[in-house]
Amino acid sequence: MGIVKISDELHEEIRKASSTMVRSINSQSEFWIKIGMLAELNPTMTYAEILKQQLAQDDVITREFKHE
């Protein structure tokens, strides 16, 4: 584990997002870092495709839900 220095503004956005997403500030930061890294490594994939791939790797059953 290490310490990463970020701007106060980014920290505030992480804090707000973590509250909305029901994650700790550290978990939200880690999620954004992981998704950003995967996006850089897979520039042709969309955000939704990256999430679906990650869920499949952990054997989470995904299916299409209809919006009503």
Side-chain angles (χ1 to χ4, degrees), residues 4-19 24-26 28-29 32:
V4 177
K5 291 188 177 195
I6 60 173
S7 69
D8 291 339
E9 294 83 11
L10 182 56
H11 185 273
E12 180 62 15
E13 293 306 310
I14 294 168
R15 186 195 64 73
K16 291 188 292 188
S18 70
S19 177
S24 69
I25 292 174
N26 286 345
Q28 184 64 43
S29 300
W32 279 356

Side-chain angles (χ1 to χ4, degrees), residues 20-61:
T20 300
M21 300 304 291
V22 192
R23 295 180 177 125
S24 69
I25 292 174
N26 286 345
S27 292
Q28 184 64 43
S29 300
E30 186 175 331
F31 177 76
W32 279 356
I33 290 167
K34 181 178 180 178
I35 295 300
M37 183 181 70
L38 289 169
E40 284 189 345
L41 294 172
N42 301 282
T44 62
M45 292 179 72
T46 66
Y47 172 72
E49 290 169 337
I50 290 170
L51 288 182
K52 193 170 185 177
Q53 177 191 58
Q54 293 301 296
L55 290 168
Q57 285 180 359
D58 288 334
D59 296 322
V60 175
I61 297 171

